[in-house]
Amino acid sequence: MKNFSTVSPRLALAALFAAASAAAAAPLKCEFRPDAPDQHVVVKGDTLWDISATFLQKPWCWPTVWGMNRDEIANPHWIYPGQIIWFDRAAGRLRLGQQLADGLNDPAIQKLQPRVRTEGLGKDAVPSIPPGVIEPFLTQPLIIEDDELKGAPRIVATQEGRVFLGKGDKAYVRGDLQGNSAFQVFRPGAALKDPVTRQVIGYEAFYLGTVKLQAEARPGVDVHTFTVATASQEMGKGDQLRAVPPTPLQNYAPHPPERPVDARVVAIYGGVTHAGQNQIVSINRGKLDGLDIGAVLQLYHAGRTVSDSTAKSGWFGREQQVKLPDEEVGSLFIFRTFKHISYGLIMQVTAPVEVGDVAKSPE
């Protein structure tokens, strides 16, 4: 029998890696609420989160009880007002059905599995979260990462030398348009620092409006001519342009991240110090960290380090320091991701969320 010292370091590392991978891949334990109803009739105004919370202790267990694959998680366009969600208690599953023409319900006949609906896709489907809360954050460049600032076209002159531009005014832009004709105008703002490393990971951007290309630079002319299409704030020389991105698909089902995530709250939208339900925060993890739209994280107040006055003092009479556990305060639904930063909507909280709070994978 080999003792510990004779075991190959490579084998030991492989065993540790396998154990860590198994722990990361371990499925979440999904439990139904003790007061879960037998059925729920979907009505206009419902969200996937609300319906999930009606049946499940953890709303992000939604894909597990439906047995959804990644494509179905990304495109859950199969629940519409008027349909019925049945709680099959014997199987521990939710099932989708329809009301019969006479207004009666027969789950034995009408139980169906979720499936993609092609007619009216996305028009009337139940959204994941309240869309009105996040609409301004879907396409506006509210967070700009370092590499996006390099070489961005910029306004170098204004019509008739005006200090500020409004709708319909001309702006003269210098830079490579890369074949685009519609742009958003933004002004870089405060740097966003990682609460842990203190390094700058991005910048808040003040969205100013949109401009449309009127004429590209011709030989002998150094600038492109643009017209201001919309203006939410005054824009002027030095403000930068970014091509209008396509509106991303937002109706992802709530689900845990594909791999463990341990993040911190970087900023609270609006410049306030505390956030509550239905407020938006940014965190220091993004696409490169395994986050995608619809991922759900649990929010915690980081455990404080306190003195233990009950323990024997150490050197020079110093009291021993002990770390308290993190305290769970709510959940965060990720609805937009950048490379290293993400936006999340606070879904439920029991205490105000602050910059530096922990956001990590559900347990």
Side-chain angles (χ1 to χ4, degrees):
M1 177 177 176
K2 294 181 179 180
N3 60 34
F4 183 79
S5 62
T6 63
V7 176
S8 164
R10 182 177 296 179
L11 291 176
L13 287 174
L16 288 173
F17 179 79
S21 299
L28 290 172
K29 184 179 180 181
C30 293
E31 297 179 349
F32 286 90
R33 294 170 56 96
D35 59 347
D38 293 326
Q39 66 179 57
H40 173 80
V41 179
V42 181
V43 298
K44 188 175 182 180
D46 276 348
T47 65
L48 288 181
W49 184 275
D50 293 336
I51 297 172
S52 301
T54 299
F55 291 96
L56 298 165
Q57 297 275 23
K58 299 174 180 177
W60 50 89
C61 275
W62 184 256
T64 300
V65 299
W66 285 107
M68 297 167 68
N69 59 36
R70 294 297 298 178
D71 290 339
E72 290 168 330
I73 289 173
N75 297 279
H77 291 288
W78 39 258
I79 295 183
Y80 291 79
Q83 293 180 315
I84 301 171
I85 296 174
W86 304 95
F87 180 10
D88 186 340
R89 297 179 185 274
R93 291 274 179 166
L94 297 176
R95 304 188 186 278
L96 188 64
Q98 292 277 11
Q99 282 189 312
L100 300 179
D102 59 3
L104 299 176
N105 308 319
D106 187 351
I109 298 175
Q110 296 297 316
K111 287 179 185 176
L112 302 171
Q113 290 293 338
R115 62 182 186 276
V116 174
R117 171 173 170 169
T118 56
E119 184 180 353
L121 181 63
K123 181 179 178 181
D124 302 313
V126 170
S128 299
I129 54 178
V133 180
I134 64 171
E135 280 174 357
F137 296 83
L138 299 184
T139 57
Q140 295 176 9
L142 300 174
I143 289 180
I144 302 297
E145 295 179 296
D146 285 334
D147 56 349
E148 293 181 289
L149 294 173
K150 297 175 182 177
R154 64 191 186 280
I155 298 174
V156 297
T158 59
Q159 183 179 10
E160 300 173 350
R162 297 177 183 176
V163 177
F164 296 111
L165 299 172
K167 184 176 181 180
D169 291 340
K170 289 182 180 178
Y172 302 101
V173 173
R174 189 176 186 183
D176 184 2
L177 305 182
Q178 298 183 355
N180 297 298
S181 60
F183 289 82
Q184 296 172 326
V185 184
F186 65 90
R187 185 175 301 143
L192 295 174
K193 292 185 177 181
D194 189 304
V196 178
T197 65
R198 305 309 300 168
Q199 293 181 341
V200 174
I201 55 176
Y203 295 86
E204 289 184 318
F206 297 103
Y207 175 78
L208 307 177
T210 59
V211 293
K212 289 186 177 181
L213 179 64
Q214 181 175 325
E216 288 193 70
R218 300 186 299 274
V221 178
D222 297 320
V223 297
H224 313 282
T225 302
F226 278 81
T227 302
V228 178
T230 62
S232 59
Q233 297 185 48
E234 294 174 325
M235 60 185 75
K237 290 173 59 175
D239 292 333
Q240 295 178 288
L241 276 61
R242 180 188 179 195
V244 175
T247 302
L249 176 67
Q250 292 302 318
N251 204 24
Y252 277 47
H255 60 277
E258 62 181 15
R259 62 177 185 260
V261 171
D262 188 354
R264 297 294 183 275
V265 174
V266 174
I268 299 171
Y269 179 72
V272 297
T273 57
H274 296 82
Q277 187 166 332
N278 287 337
Q279 286 188 267
I280 291 166
V281 300
S282 55
I283 62 172
N284 63 341
R285 296 290 184 268
K287 295 177 184 177
L288 298 184
D289 304 293
L291 284 176
D292 62 351
I293 299 169
V296 176
L297 302 175
Q298 289 177 314
L299 290 166
Y300 298 82
H301 286 330
R304 297 177 296 116
T305 299
V306 299
S307 299
D308 182 3
S309 59
T310 68
K312 184 178 179 180
S313 298
W315 291 101
F316 306 109
R318 293 178 180 174
E319 293 183 338
Q320 295 183 23
Q321 301 295 301
V322 293
K323 173 72 165 58
L324 301 181
D326 295 343
E327 296 290 341
E328 185 177 351
V329 295
S331 53
L332 187 70
F333 185 100
I334 302 300
F335 66 86
R336 189 177 182 192
T337 57
F338 304 86
K339 286 194 298 184
H340 301 289
I341 306 175
S342 297
Y343 273 128
L345 179 67
I346 299 173
M347 301 305 298
Q348 294 127 342
V349 283
T350 56
V353 176
E354 306 174 12
V355 171
D357 279 352
V358 177
K360 58 185 179 181
S361 300
E363 296 178 350

